[in-house]
Amino acid sequence: MLLDLSEEHKEHLAFLPQVDTAVVAEFGRIAVEFLRRGSNPKIYEGAARKLNVSSDTIQHGVEGLTYLLTESSKLMISELDFQDSVFVLGFSEELNKLLLQLYLDNRKEIRTILNELAPRLPSYHSLEWRLDVQLASRSLRQQIKPAVTIKLHLDQNGDHSTHFLQTDPATLLHLVQQLEQALEEMKTNHCRRVVRSIK
């Protein structure tokens, strides 16, 4: 799977061939630090003074490199695919090898950082339900109005939360059909490939 880099990202990465490979390696270290701790303008200003360019150019270069490394790590692309993705940028062979080495050295750490940054979604704990049927009211004596009340218990980071939902049986049946369809779709080869690449 090749990376699809936008023109903006290509412009940001176009600065890399203009500097020494040691500087690119340092940019790689800064990119990983950027993921861990966030942006640090002082680092960009110091590098800009040393290289006699604007701090925005340095920042864009580091952000472009960060994007390249995070997207590659997210998709767990192979060495060959990474080389093909970078080859499109028109860099020298030495720079391509350096970028590949940066990717290989940091992809596990980047995936760990991305997993820590991912939001923790609530997980299912238990479910209680009740069927209520209104048979009549003051204005309508012959009326059947069913309703399903659901009490959903969720866990999120050790905290328990309870949600009450109420729906009619037809909507509940439609929801069940949609969920079953989604589960069936998860069994397709395409979805299996996607899930494998996410892990």
Side-chain angles (χ1 to χ4, degrees):
M1 172 186 294
L2 295 178
L3 286 179
D4 185 26
L5 297 172
S6 68
E7 289 302 317
E8 182 183 12
H9 289 116
K10 289 178 183 176
E11 287 174 20
H12 290 174
L13 291 170
F15 173 69
L16 297 180
Q18 300 170 15
V19 295
D20 190 41
T21 54
V23 175
V24 175
E26 182 64 17
F27 281 1
R29 187 192 63 77
I30 293 170
V32 175
E33 284 298 312
F34 173 75
L35 283 173
R36 264 196 230 116
R37 297 194 178 97
S39 181
N40 188 349
K42 290 180 183 177
I43 292 175
Y44 301 141
E45 291 168 8
R49 278 195 300 275
K50 288 179 186 174
L51 298 172
N52 292 325
V53 293
S54 70
S55 62
D56 284 343
T57 305
I58 301 293
Q59 183 174 357
H60 290 316
V62 170
E63 288 173 355
L65 190 55
T66 303
Y67 179 80
L68 178 70
L69 293 174
T70 53
E71 287 302 307
S72 302
S73 299
K74 228 189 276 184
L75 299 172
M76 283 298 285
I77 62 174
S78 65
E79 293 180 35
L80 185 62
D81 287 342
F82 184 85
Q83 287 175 328
D84 290 343
S85 298
V86 175
F87 181 76
V88 174
L89 299 171
F91 294 161
S92 67
E93 190 174 331
E94 182 184 4
L95 183 56
N96 288 347
K97 286 181 180 176
L98 177 64
L99 291 173
L100 175 64
Q101 195 58 46
L102 275 171
Y103 167 62
L104 295 175
D105 291 345
N106 295 305
R107 69 178 166 190
K108 287 183 182 173
E109 184 179 359
I110 290 171
R111 283 185 65 83
T112 304
I113 292 169
L114 292 176
N115 283 337
E116 290 171 3
L117 294 175
R120 300 283 178 237
L121 299 174
S123 60
Y124 170 83
H125 182 263
S126 65
L127 176 86
E128 300 172 35
W129 63 275
R130 181 180 74 220
L131 178 64
D132 296 323
V133 179
Q134 183 177 351
L135 298 174
S137 64
R138 287 183 185 173
S139 58
L140 292 171
R141 292 181 183 220
Q142 297 284 326
Q143 160 187 340
I144 297 177
K145 188 176 176 187
V148 179
T149 304
I150 300 169
K151 185 177 181 183
L152 182 62
H153 301 277
L154 301 175
D155 288 337
Q156 185 172 15
N157 298 331
D159 295 332
H160 300 291
S161 60
T162 304
H163 300 277
F164 290 95
L165 309 165
Q166 189 170 35
T167 185
D168 61 291
T171 304
L172 184 61
L173 184 62
H174 177 69
L175 179 65
V176 169
Q177 289 170 346
Q178 291 297 311
L179 291 172
E180 286 175 348
Q181 183 180 352
L183 287 173
E184 284 299 315
E185 193 169 320
M186 283 301 295
K187 295 177 184 175
T188 63
N189 288 334
H190 175 70
C191 286
R192 286 182 182 165
R193 280 194 300 269
V194 169
V195 169
R196 243 183 277 127
S197 68
I198 291 173
K199 292 179 183 177

